[in-house]
Short mmCIF file of all heavy atoms in Angstrom, two decimals:
data_model
loop_
_atom_site.label_atom_id
_atom_site.label_comp_id
_atom_site.label_asym_id
_atom_site.label_seq_id
_atom_site.Cartn_x
_atom_site.Cartn_y
_atom_site.Cartn_z
N LEU A 153 -8.96 -1.56 7.01
CA LEU A 153 -9.13 -3.00 7.10
C LEU A 153 -8.58 -3.54 8.43
O LEU A 153 -9.05 -4.55 8.94
CB LEU A 153 -8.43 -3.69 5.93
CG LEU A 153 -8.88 -3.22 4.54
CD1 LEU A 153 -7.96 -3.78 3.47
CD2 LEU A 153 -10.32 -3.62 4.30
N TYR A 154 -7.57 -2.87 8.96
CA TYR A 154 -6.94 -3.30 10.21
C TYR A 154 -6.20 -2.11 10.80
O TYR A 154 -5.60 -1.32 10.07
CB TYR A 154 -5.95 -4.44 9.93
CG TYR A 154 -5.12 -4.84 11.12
CD1 TYR A 154 -5.64 -5.63 12.14
CD2 TYR A 154 -3.79 -4.44 11.23
CE1 TYR A 154 -4.88 -6.01 13.23
CE2 TYR A 154 -3.02 -4.81 12.32
CZ TYR A 154 -3.56 -5.60 13.31
OH TYR A 154 -2.81 -5.96 14.39
N GLN A 155 -6.22 -2.01 12.12
CA GLN A 155 -5.39 -1.01 12.80
C GLN A 155 -5.06 -1.49 14.20
O GLN A 155 -5.83 -2.22 14.82
CB GLN A 155 -6.05 0.36 12.83
CG GLN A 155 -7.34 0.44 13.59
CD GLN A 155 -7.96 1.83 13.48
OE1 GLN A 155 -7.38 2.75 12.91
NE2 GLN A 155 -9.15 1.98 14.02
N GLN A 156 -3.89 -1.08 14.67
CA GLN A 156 -3.45 -1.43 16.02
C GLN A 156 -2.43 -0.40 16.46
O GLN A 156 -1.66 0.12 15.64
CB GLN A 156 -2.83 -2.83 16.03
CG GLN A 156 -2.42 -3.29 17.40
CD GLN A 156 -1.80 -4.69 17.40
OE1 GLN A 156 -1.90 -5.43 16.43
NE2 GLN A 156 -1.14 -5.06 18.49
N SER A 157 -2.39 -0.11 17.76
CA SER A 157 -1.35 0.76 18.30
C SER A 157 -0.82 0.14 19.58
O SER A 157 -1.56 -0.52 20.32
CB SER A 157 -1.87 2.18 18.53
OG SER A 157 -2.86 2.19 19.51
N ASN A 158 0.47 0.34 19.81
CA ASN A 158 1.13 -0.19 21.00
C ASN A 158 1.92 0.92 21.67
O ASN A 158 2.62 1.68 20.99
CB ASN A 158 2.12 -1.31 20.62
CG ASN A 158 1.43 -2.56 20.14
OD1 ASN A 158 0.27 -2.78 20.42
ND2 ASN A 158 2.15 -3.37 19.40
N PRO A 159 1.87 1.00 23.01
CA PRO A 159 2.74 1.94 23.71
C PRO A 159 4.19 1.46 23.60
O PRO A 159 4.45 0.26 23.52
CB PRO A 159 2.24 1.88 25.16
CG PRO A 159 1.54 0.57 25.28
CD PRO A 159 1.02 0.23 23.92
N THR A 160 5.12 2.40 23.57
CA THR A 160 6.53 2.04 23.39
C THR A 160 7.39 2.39 24.61
O THR A 160 8.60 2.25 24.55
CB THR A 160 7.11 2.73 22.15
OG1 THR A 160 6.93 4.14 22.31
CG2 THR A 160 6.43 2.26 20.89
N THR A 161 6.78 2.85 25.68
CA THR A 161 7.44 3.13 26.97
C THR A 161 8.61 4.12 26.89
O THR A 161 9.61 3.96 27.56
CB THR A 161 7.89 1.84 27.68
OG1 THR A 161 8.89 1.18 26.90
CG2 THR A 161 6.73 0.90 27.93
N ASN A 162 8.47 5.15 26.06
CA ASN A 162 9.41 6.27 26.05
C ASN A 162 10.86 5.87 25.72
O ASN A 162 11.79 6.39 26.29
CB ASN A 162 9.35 7.01 27.39
CG ASN A 162 9.92 8.40 27.28
OD1 ASN A 162 9.89 9.01 26.23
ND2 ASN A 162 10.44 8.91 28.38
N VAL A 163 11.03 4.95 24.79
CA VAL A 163 12.37 4.54 24.36
C VAL A 163 12.74 5.31 23.09
O VAL A 163 11.88 5.84 22.40
CB VAL A 163 12.43 3.01 24.10
CG1 VAL A 163 12.22 2.23 25.37
CG2 VAL A 163 11.42 2.60 23.04
N SER A 164 14.02 5.37 22.76
CA SER A 164 14.42 6.06 21.53
C SER A 164 14.49 5.11 20.34
O SER A 164 14.52 5.55 19.20
CB SER A 164 15.76 6.77 21.72
OG SER A 164 16.76 5.83 22.06
N PHE A 165 14.49 3.80 20.60
CA PHE A 165 14.52 2.78 19.54
C PHE A 165 13.45 1.74 19.86
O PHE A 165 13.36 1.28 21.00
CB PHE A 165 15.89 2.11 19.46
CG PHE A 165 15.94 0.96 18.49
CD1 PHE A 165 16.21 1.17 17.15
CD2 PHE A 165 15.71 -0.34 18.92
CE1 PHE A 165 16.26 0.10 16.26
CE2 PHE A 165 15.76 -1.41 18.04
CZ PHE A 165 16.03 -1.18 16.70
N PHE A 166 12.66 1.36 18.83
CA PHE A 166 11.62 0.37 19.05
C PHE A 166 11.50 -0.51 17.82
O PHE A 166 11.43 -0.01 16.71
CB PHE A 166 10.27 1.06 19.32
CG PHE A 166 9.15 0.11 19.65
CD1 PHE A 166 9.07 -0.50 20.88
CD2 PHE A 166 8.17 -0.16 18.70
CE1 PHE A 166 8.03 -1.37 21.19
CE2 PHE A 166 7.12 -1.03 19.00
CZ PHE A 166 7.07 -1.63 20.25
N ARG A 167 11.52 -1.82 18.02
CA ARG A 167 11.31 -2.78 16.93
C ARG A 167 9.85 -3.19 17.00
O ARG A 167 9.39 -3.66 18.02
CB ARG A 167 12.21 -3.98 17.11
CG ARG A 167 12.03 -5.02 16.02
CD ARG A 167 13.08 -6.09 16.05
NE ARG A 167 14.16 -5.99 15.12
CZ ARG A 167 14.09 -5.75 13.82
NH1 ARG A 167 12.96 -5.49 13.26
NH2 ARG A 167 15.14 -5.74 13.06
N PHE A 168 9.12 -2.98 15.87
CA PHE A 168 7.69 -3.30 15.87
C PHE A 168 7.42 -4.56 15.07
O PHE A 168 8.14 -4.89 14.12
CB PHE A 168 6.85 -2.13 15.34
CG PHE A 168 7.21 -1.66 13.96
CD1 PHE A 168 6.66 -2.26 12.84
CD2 PHE A 168 8.09 -0.60 13.78
CE1 PHE A 168 6.98 -1.82 11.57
CE2 PHE A 168 8.42 -0.15 12.52
CZ PHE A 168 7.87 -0.77 11.40
N MET A 169 6.38 -5.28 15.50
CA MET A 169 5.91 -6.48 14.83
C MET A 169 4.39 -6.54 14.99
O MET A 169 3.91 -6.67 16.11
CB MET A 169 6.55 -7.73 15.43
CG MET A 169 8.02 -7.84 15.13
SD MET A 169 8.78 -9.28 15.90
CE MET A 169 9.29 -8.58 17.46
N PHE A 170 3.68 -6.38 13.89
CA PHE A 170 2.23 -6.48 13.87
C PHE A 170 1.85 -7.63 12.94
O PHE A 170 2.60 -7.93 12.01
CB PHE A 170 1.58 -5.19 13.35
CG PHE A 170 1.86 -3.97 14.17
CD1 PHE A 170 2.84 -3.06 13.79
CD2 PHE A 170 1.13 -3.71 15.32
CE1 PHE A 170 3.09 -1.92 14.53
CE2 PHE A 170 1.38 -2.58 16.08
CZ PHE A 170 2.35 -1.68 15.68
N SER A 171 0.71 -8.25 13.16
CA SER A 171 0.25 -9.31 12.26
C SER A 171 -1.26 -9.25 12.16
O SER A 171 -1.96 -9.12 13.17
CB SER A 171 0.69 -10.68 12.79
OG SER A 171 0.32 -11.69 11.87
N TRP A 172 -1.77 -9.33 10.93
CA TRP A 172 -3.20 -9.34 10.67
C TRP A 172 -3.50 -10.47 9.71
O TRP A 172 -2.84 -10.62 8.68
CB TRP A 172 -3.63 -8.01 10.05
CG TRP A 172 -5.03 -7.98 9.52
CD1 TRP A 172 -6.18 -8.20 10.24
CD2 TRP A 172 -5.45 -7.71 8.19
NE1 TRP A 172 -7.29 -8.08 9.43
CE2 TRP A 172 -6.86 -7.77 8.15
CE3 TRP A 172 -4.77 -7.41 7.01
CZ2 TRP A 172 -7.60 -7.56 7.00
CZ3 TRP A 172 -5.51 -7.19 5.87
CH2 TRP A 172 -6.91 -7.26 5.86
N THR A 173 -4.47 -11.30 10.04
CA THR A 173 -4.89 -12.35 9.13
C THR A 173 -5.85 -11.73 8.12
O THR A 173 -6.91 -11.22 8.49
CB THR A 173 -5.59 -13.51 9.88
OG1 THR A 173 -4.65 -14.05 10.81
CG2 THR A 173 -6.02 -14.60 8.92
N VAL A 174 -5.44 -11.71 6.87
CA VAL A 174 -6.22 -11.08 5.79
C VAL A 174 -7.60 -11.74 5.75
O VAL A 174 -7.72 -12.96 5.74
CB VAL A 174 -5.50 -11.21 4.44
CG1 VAL A 174 -6.33 -10.61 3.32
CG2 VAL A 174 -4.12 -10.57 4.51
N SER A 175 -8.64 -10.91 5.75
CA SER A 175 -10.01 -11.43 5.71
C SER A 175 -10.92 -10.45 5.01
O SER A 175 -10.63 -9.25 4.94
CB SER A 175 -10.52 -11.71 7.13
OG SER A 175 -10.56 -10.51 7.87
N GLY A 176 -12.03 -10.97 4.47
CA GLY A 176 -13.04 -10.13 3.85
C GLY A 176 -12.72 -9.65 2.45
O GLY A 176 -13.39 -8.78 1.92
N ILE A 177 -11.71 -10.21 1.83
CA ILE A 177 -11.31 -9.78 0.49
C ILE A 177 -12.02 -10.66 -0.53
O ILE A 177 -11.92 -11.88 -0.49
CB ILE A 177 -9.78 -9.87 0.32
CG1 ILE A 177 -9.06 -9.06 1.40
CG2 ILE A 177 -9.35 -9.43 -1.08
CD1 ILE A 177 -9.42 -7.61 1.47
N THR A 178 -12.77 -10.04 -1.44
CA THR A 178 -13.53 -10.79 -2.44
C THR A 178 -12.99 -10.62 -3.85
O THR A 178 -13.40 -11.34 -4.77
CB THR A 178 -15.02 -10.38 -2.42
OG1 THR A 178 -15.09 -8.97 -2.67
CG2 THR A 178 -15.65 -10.70 -1.07
N ALA A 179 -12.11 -9.66 -4.04
CA ALA A 179 -11.51 -9.39 -5.35
C ALA A 179 -10.12 -8.79 -5.09
O ALA A 179 -9.84 -8.30 -3.99
CB ALA A 179 -12.37 -8.40 -6.13
N PRO A 180 -9.23 -8.81 -6.08
CA PRO A 180 -7.92 -8.17 -5.89
C PRO A 180 -8.10 -6.73 -5.39
O PRO A 180 -8.86 -5.95 -5.97
CB PRO A 180 -7.29 -8.22 -7.27
CG PRO A 180 -7.94 -9.40 -7.93
CD PRO A 180 -9.36 -9.41 -7.41
N THR A 181 -7.42 -6.42 -4.29
CA THR A 181 -7.60 -5.13 -3.62
C THR A 181 -6.25 -4.48 -3.37
O THR A 181 -5.44 -5.01 -2.60
CB THR A 181 -8.33 -5.33 -2.28
OG1 THR A 181 -9.56 -6.00 -2.52
CG2 THR A 181 -8.59 -4.02 -1.58
N PRO A 182 -5.98 -3.33 -3.98
CA PRO A 182 -4.76 -2.59 -3.63
C PRO A 182 -4.93 -2.01 -2.22
O PRO A 182 -5.99 -1.48 -1.89
CB PRO A 182 -4.66 -1.49 -4.68
CG PRO A 182 -6.03 -1.37 -5.27
CD PRO A 182 -6.75 -2.65 -5.01
N ALA A 183 -3.90 -2.15 -1.41
CA ALA A 183 -3.96 -1.67 -0.03
C ALA A 183 -2.67 -0.95 0.33
O ALA A 183 -1.63 -1.15 -0.29
CB ALA A 183 -4.19 -2.84 0.93
N THR A 184 -2.77 -0.10 1.35
CA THR A 184 -1.61 0.62 1.86
C THR A 184 -1.39 0.23 3.31
O THR A 184 -2.33 0.27 4.11
CB THR A 184 -1.81 2.15 1.76
OG1 THR A 184 -1.99 2.50 0.39
CG2 THR A 184 -0.63 2.90 2.31
N VAL A 185 -0.16 -0.14 3.63
CA VAL A 185 0.25 -0.41 5.01
C VAL A 185 0.95 0.86 5.50
O VAL A 185 1.96 1.27 4.91
CB VAL A 185 1.20 -1.61 5.09
CG1 VAL A 185 1.69 -1.81 6.52
CG2 VAL A 185 0.53 -2.86 4.55
N LYS A 186 0.41 1.47 6.53
CA LYS A 186 0.97 2.72 7.06
C LYS A 186 1.41 2.49 8.50
O LYS A 186 0.62 2.08 9.34
CB LYS A 186 -0.08 3.83 7.01
CG LYS A 186 0.39 5.15 7.57
CD LYS A 186 -0.72 6.19 7.46
CE LYS A 186 -0.33 7.53 8.02
NZ LYS A 186 -1.43 8.50 7.93
N VAL A 187 2.69 2.77 8.78
CA VAL A 187 3.23 2.68 10.13
C VAL A 187 3.51 4.11 10.61
O VAL A 187 4.11 4.91 9.89
CB VAL A 187 4.52 1.84 10.17
CG1 VAL A 187 5.14 1.86 11.56
CG2 VAL A 187 4.23 0.42 9.72
N THR A 188 3.05 4.43 11.82
CA THR A 188 3.21 5.77 12.38
C THR A 188 3.96 5.68 13.70
O THR A 188 3.65 4.81 14.54
CB THR A 188 1.85 6.43 12.62
OG1 THR A 188 1.12 6.46 11.38
CG2 THR A 188 2.00 7.85 13.13
N ALA A 189 4.92 6.56 13.90
CA ALA A 189 5.63 6.70 15.17
C ALA A 189 5.21 8.02 15.79
O ALA A 189 5.24 9.06 15.13
CB ALA A 189 7.14 6.68 14.95
N ILE A 190 4.82 7.98 17.06
CA ILE A 190 4.43 9.19 17.79
C ILE A 190 5.37 9.32 18.98
O ILE A 190 5.51 8.39 19.77
CB ILE A 190 2.97 9.11 18.28
CG1 ILE A 190 2.04 8.84 17.09
CG2 ILE A 190 2.58 10.39 19.01
CD1 ILE A 190 0.62 8.50 17.48
N ASP A 191 6.05 10.48 19.08
CA ASP A 191 6.98 10.65 20.20
C ASP A 191 6.27 11.26 21.41
O ASP A 191 5.09 11.58 21.36
CB ASP A 191 8.22 11.45 19.78
CG ASP A 191 7.98 12.93 19.51
OD1 ASP A 191 6.93 13.47 19.92
OD2 ASP A 191 8.85 13.56 18.88
N LYS A 192 7.00 11.39 22.51
CA LYS A 192 6.38 11.87 23.76
C LYS A 192 5.95 13.33 23.68
O LYS A 192 5.20 13.79 24.52
CB LYS A 192 7.32 11.64 24.94
CG LYS A 192 8.56 12.49 24.93
CD LYS A 192 9.43 12.22 26.12
CE LYS A 192 10.64 13.14 26.10
NZ LYS A 192 11.49 12.92 27.25
N LEU A 193 6.38 14.06 22.64
CA LEU A 193 5.95 15.44 22.44
C LEU A 193 4.77 15.52 21.47
O LEU A 193 4.39 16.59 21.03
CB LEU A 193 7.11 16.29 21.92
CG LEU A 193 8.35 16.33 22.80
CD1 LEU A 193 9.48 17.09 22.12
CD2 LEU A 193 8.03 16.93 24.16
#
């Protein structure tokens, strides 16, 4: 339903903030929010 990725400039600590305006939902929909961290390796 939504995805976004941001570069983190090779830091060891990062505070993330994403926002998506919910759209296209016509009935109650169970959803999963997945956050992924990828290191420089």
